[in-house]
PDB file of all heavy atoms in Angstrom:
ATOM      1  N   GLU A 114      -5.852  -7.596 -15.738  1.00 97.00           N
ATOM      2  CA  GLU A 114      -5.897  -8.766 -16.606  1.00 97.00           C
ATOM      3  C   GLU A 114      -6.310 -10.014 -15.827  1.00 97.00           C
ATOM      4  O   GLU A 114      -7.073 -10.849 -16.320  1.00 97.00           O
ATOM      5  CB  GLU A 114      -4.523  -8.986 -17.263  1.00 97.00           C
ATOM      6  CG  GLU A 114      -4.077  -7.881 -18.210  1.00 97.00           C
ATOM      7  CD  GLU A 114      -3.514  -6.653 -17.489  1.00 97.00           C
ATOM      8  OE1 GLU A 114      -3.307  -6.722 -16.245  1.00 97.00           O
ATOM      9  OE2 GLU A 114      -3.268  -5.634 -18.161  1.00 97.00           O
ATOM     10  N   PHE A 115      -5.804 -10.128 -14.588  1.00 97.00           N
ATOM     11  CA  PHE A 115      -6.164 -11.289 -13.773  1.00 97.00           C
ATOM     12  C   PHE A 115      -7.655 -11.303 -13.467  1.00 97.00           C
ATOM     13  O   PHE A 115      -8.315 -12.333 -13.598  1.00 97.00           O
ATOM     14  CB  PHE A 115      -5.379 -11.301 -12.462  1.00 97.00           C
ATOM     15  CG  PHE A 115      -5.916 -12.296 -11.469  1.00 97.00           C
ATOM     16  CD1 PHE A 115      -5.629 -13.648 -11.597  1.00 97.00           C
ATOM     17  CD2 PHE A 115      -6.760 -11.886 -10.448  1.00 97.00           C
ATOM     18  CE1 PHE A 115      -6.153 -14.579 -10.710  1.00 97.00           C
ATOM     19  CE2 PHE A 115      -7.290 -12.810  -9.557  1.00 97.00           C
ATOM     20  CZ  PHE A 115      -6.991 -14.150  -9.689  1.00 97.00           C
ATOM     21  N   TYR A 116      -8.195 -10.174 -13.039  1.00 98.00           N
ATOM     22  CA  TYR A 116      -9.611 -10.114 -12.685  1.00 98.00           C
ATOM     23  C   TYR A 116     -10.502 -10.415 -13.895  1.00 98.00           C
ATOM     24  O   TYR A 116     -11.536 -11.086 -13.774  1.00 98.00           O
ATOM     25  CB  TYR A 116      -9.957  -8.747 -12.106  1.00 98.00           C
ATOM     26  CG  TYR A 116      -9.494  -8.551 -10.679  1.00 98.00           C
ATOM     27  CD1 TYR A 116      -8.771  -7.412 -10.317  1.00 98.00           C
ATOM     28  CD2 TYR A 116      -9.778  -9.482  -9.692  1.00 98.00           C
ATOM     29  CE1 TYR A 116      -8.358  -7.219  -9.001  1.00 98.00           C
ATOM     30  CE2 TYR A 116      -9.362  -9.298  -8.386  1.00 98.00           C
ATOM     31  CZ  TYR A 116      -8.650  -8.169  -8.039  1.00 98.00           C
ATOM     32  OH  TYR A 116      -8.239  -7.992  -6.736  1.00 98.00           O
ATOM     33  N   LYS A 117     -10.108  -9.925 -15.055  1.00 96.00           N
ATOM     34  CA  LYS A 117     -10.888 -10.187 -16.263  1.00 96.00           C
ATOM     35  C   LYS A 117     -10.902 -11.684 -16.575  1.00 96.00           C
ATOM     36  O   LYS A 117     -11.940 -12.260 -16.922  1.00 96.00           O
ATOM     37  CB  LYS A 117     -10.309  -9.402 -17.437  1.00 96.00           C
ATOM     38  CG  LYS A 117     -11.109  -9.541 -18.721  1.00 96.00           C
ATOM     39  CD  LYS A 117     -10.523  -8.669 -19.824  1.00 96.00           C
ATOM     40  CE  LYS A 117     -11.341  -8.805 -21.110  1.00 96.00           C
ATOM     41  NZ  LYS A 117     -10.779  -7.946 -22.188  1.00 96.00           N
ATOM     42  N   LYS A 118      -9.760 -12.303 -16.423  1.00 96.00           N
ATOM     43  CA  LYS A 118      -9.641 -13.737 -16.682  1.00 96.00           C
ATOM     44  C   LYS A 118     -10.395 -14.561 -15.640  1.00 96.00           C
ATOM     45  O   LYS A 118     -11.027 -15.580 -15.964  1.00 96.00           O
ATOM     46  CB  LYS A 118      -8.152 -14.140 -16.687  1.00 96.00           C
ATOM     47  CG  LYS A 118      -7.909 -15.620 -16.939  1.00 96.00           C
ATOM     48  CD  LYS A 118      -6.410 -15.920 -16.881  1.00 96.00           C
ATOM     49  CE  LYS A 118      -6.143 -17.407 -17.034  1.00 96.00           C
ATOM     50  NZ  LYS A 118      -4.683 -17.710 -16.921  1.00 96.00           N
ATOM     51  N   ALA A 119     -10.352 -14.132 -14.387  1.00 96.00           N
ATOM     52  CA  ALA A 119     -11.000 -14.884 -13.308  1.00 96.00           C
ATOM     53  C   ALA A 119     -12.513 -14.906 -13.464  1.00 96.00           C
ATOM     54  O   ALA A 119     -13.174 -15.881 -13.090  1.00 96.00           O
ATOM     55  CB  ALA A 119     -10.619 -14.297 -11.953  1.00 96.00           C
ATOM     56  N   GLY A 120     -13.094 -13.835 -14.000  1.00 94.00           N
ATOM     57  CA  GLY A 120     -14.534 -13.792 -14.240  1.00 94.00           C
ATOM     58  C   GLY A 120     -15.372 -13.806 -12.976  1.00 94.00           C
ATOM     59  O   GLY A 120     -16.510 -14.271 -12.972  1.00 94.00           O
ATOM     60  N   ARG A 121     -14.832 -13.290 -11.884  1.00 96.00           N
ATOM     61  CA  ARG A 121     -15.548 -13.245 -10.608  1.00 96.00           C
ATOM     62  C   ARG A 121     -15.787 -11.790 -10.196  1.00 96.00           C
ATOM     63  O   ARG A 121     -15.061 -10.892 -10.628  1.00 96.00           O
ATOM     64  CB  ARG A 121     -14.732 -13.941  -9.503  1.00 96.00           C
ATOM     65  CG  ARG A 121     -14.667 -15.460  -9.619  1.00 96.00           C
ATOM     66  CD  ARG A 121     -13.708 -16.002  -8.577  1.00 96.00           C
ATOM     67  NE  ARG A 121     -13.697 -17.460  -8.539  1.00 96.00           N
ATOM     68  CZ  ARG A 121     -14.430 -18.189  -7.712  1.00 96.00           C
ATOM     69  NH1 ARG A 121     -15.228 -17.593  -6.833  1.00 96.00           N
ATOM     70  NH2 ARG A 121     -14.366 -19.504  -7.730  1.00 96.00           N
ATOM     71  N   PRO A 122     -16.761 -11.560  -9.322  1.00 97.00           N
ATOM     72  CA  PRO A 122     -16.916 -10.201  -8.783  1.00 97.00           C
ATOM     73  C   PRO A 122     -15.667  -9.839  -7.984  1.00 97.00           C
ATOM     74  O   PRO A 122     -15.138 -10.664  -7.239  1.00 97.00           O
ATOM     75  CB  PRO A 122     -18.152 -10.307  -7.894  1.00 97.00           C
ATOM     76  CG  PRO A 122     -18.293 -11.760  -7.570  1.00 97.00           C
ATOM     77  CD  PRO A 122     -17.769 -12.495  -8.768  1.00 97.00           C
ATOM     78  N   PHE A 123     -15.191  -8.617  -8.171  1.00 98.00           N
ATOM     79  CA  PHE A 123     -13.946  -8.225  -7.496  1.00 98.00           C
ATOM     80  C   PHE A 123     -14.024  -6.774  -7.038  1.00 98.00           C
ATOM     81  O   PHE A 123     -14.838  -5.981  -7.516  1.00 98.00           O
ATOM     82  CB  PHE A 123     -12.750  -8.401  -8.434  1.00 98.00           C
ATOM     83  CG  PHE A 123     -12.634  -7.316  -9.481  1.00 98.00           C
ATOM     84  CD1 PHE A 123     -11.891  -6.170  -9.236  1.00 98.00           C
ATOM     85  CD2 PHE A 123     -13.280  -7.436 -10.698  1.00 98.00           C
ATOM     86  CE1 PHE A 123     -11.792  -5.158 -10.182  1.00 98.00           C
ATOM     87  CE2 PHE A 123     -13.192  -6.429 -11.655  1.00 98.00           C
ATOM     88  CZ  PHE A 123     -12.443  -5.289 -11.397  1.00 98.00           C
ATOM     89  N   VAL A 124     -13.136  -6.458  -6.105  1.00 98.00           N
ATOM     90  CA  VAL A 124     -12.937  -5.069  -5.704  1.00 98.00           C
ATOM     91  C   VAL A 124     -11.461  -4.896  -5.365  1.00 98.00           C
ATOM     92  O   VAL A 124     -10.866  -5.734  -4.685  1.00 98.00           O
ATOM     93  CB  VAL A 124     -13.837  -4.663  -4.516  1.00 98.00           C
ATOM     94  CG1 VAL A 124     -13.646  -5.588  -3.324  1.00 98.00           C
ATOM     95  CG2 VAL A 124     -13.565  -3.219  -4.104  1.00 98.00           C
ATOM     96  N   SER A 125     -10.892  -3.837  -5.894  1.00 98.00           N
ATOM     97  CA  SER A 125      -9.481  -3.547  -5.667  1.00 98.00           C
ATOM     98  C   SER A 125      -9.371  -2.206  -4.947  1.00 98.00           C
ATOM     99  O   SER A 125      -9.968  -1.212  -5.376  1.00 98.00           O
ATOM    100  CB  SER A 125      -8.730  -3.488  -7.007  1.00 98.00           C
ATOM    101  OG  SER A 125      -7.346  -3.293  -6.802  1.00 98.00           O
ATOM    102  N   THR A 126      -8.650  -2.179  -3.832  1.00 98.00           N
ATOM    103  CA  THR A 126      -8.462  -0.939  -3.086  1.00 98.00           C
ATOM    104  C   THR A 126      -6.995  -0.815  -2.686  1.00 98.00           C
ATOM    105  O   THR A 126      -6.224  -1.766  -2.799  1.00 98.00           O
ATOM    106  CB  THR A 126      -9.344  -0.879  -1.812  1.00 98.00           C
ATOM    107  OG1 THR A 126      -8.792  -1.718  -0.798  1.00 98.00           O
ATOM    108  CG2 THR A 126     -10.778  -1.284  -2.113  1.00 98.00           C
ATOM    109  N   HIS A 127      -6.636   0.354  -2.227  1.00 96.00           N
ATOM    110  CA  HIS A 127      -5.275   0.567  -1.727  1.00 96.00           C
ATOM    111  C   HIS A 127      -5.316   1.494  -0.520  1.00 96.00           C
ATOM    112  O   HIS A 127      -5.391   2.717  -0.673  1.00 96.00           O
ATOM    113  CB  HIS A 127      -4.388   1.178  -2.820  1.00 96.00           C
ATOM    114  CG  HIS A 127      -2.983   1.459  -2.353  1.00 96.00           C
ATOM    115  ND1 HIS A 127      -2.101   2.231  -3.072  1.00 96.00           N
ATOM    116  CD2 HIS A 127      -2.301   1.073  -1.239  1.00 96.00           C
ATOM    117  CE1 HIS A 127      -0.961   2.316  -2.423  1.00 96.00           C
ATOM    118  NE2 HIS A 127      -1.063   1.624  -1.306  1.00 96.00           N
ATOM    119  N   PRO A 128      -5.295   0.943   0.693  1.00 94.00           N
ATOM    120  CA  PRO A 128      -5.177   1.781   1.890  1.00 94.00           C
ATOM    121  C   PRO A 128      -3.782   2.401   1.903  1.00 94.00           C
ATOM    122  O   PRO A 128      -2.796   1.684   2.050  1.00 94.00           O
ATOM    123  CB  PRO A 128      -5.364   0.804   3.050  1.00 94.00           C
ATOM    124  CG  PRO A 128      -5.671  -0.522   2.439  1.00 94.00           C
ATOM    125  CD  PRO A 128      -5.307  -0.470   1.010  1.00 94.00           C
ATOM    126  N   MET A 129      -3.704   3.713   1.741  1.00 87.00           N
ATOM    127  CA  MET A 129      -2.398   4.362   1.570  1.00 87.00           C
ATOM    128  C   MET A 129      -1.783   4.771   2.897  1.00 87.00           C
ATOM    129  O   MET A 129      -1.299   5.887   3.081  1.00 87.00           O
ATOM    130  CB  MET A 129      -2.530   5.559   0.634  1.00 87.00           C
ATOM    131  CG  MET A 129      -2.919   5.166  -0.775  1.00 87.00           C
ATOM    132  SD  MET A 129      -3.000   6.573  -1.894  1.00 87.00           S
ATOM    133  CE  MET A 129      -1.273   7.042  -1.976  1.00 87.00           C
ATOM    134  N   PHE A 130      -1.822   3.858   3.836  1.00 81.00           N
ATOM    135  CA  PHE A 130      -1.157   4.062   5.116  1.00 81.00           C
ATOM    136  C   PHE A 130      -0.532   2.736   5.498  1.00 81.00           C
ATOM    137  O   PHE A 130      -1.102   1.677   5.278  1.00 81.00           O
ATOM    138  CB  PHE A 130      -2.142   4.502   6.205  1.00 81.00           C
ATOM    139  CG  PHE A 130      -3.265   3.524   6.445  1.00 81.00           C
ATOM    140  CD1 PHE A 130      -3.139   2.513   7.387  1.00 81.00           C
ATOM    141  CD2 PHE A 130      -4.428   3.606   5.702  1.00 81.00           C
ATOM    142  CE1 PHE A 130      -4.162   1.608   7.589  1.00 81.00           C
ATOM    143  CE2 PHE A 130      -5.464   2.699   5.909  1.00 81.00           C
ATOM    144  CZ  PHE A 130      -5.328   1.694   6.852  1.00 81.00           C
TER     145      PHE A 130
END
Side-chain angles (χ1 to χ4, degrees):
E114 296 79 9
F115 168 78
Y116 284 130
K117 184 177 180 179
K118 180 182 176 182
R121 288 173 174 265
F123 76 91
V124 55
S125 184
T126 76
H127 178 193
M129 295 183 67
F130 59 91

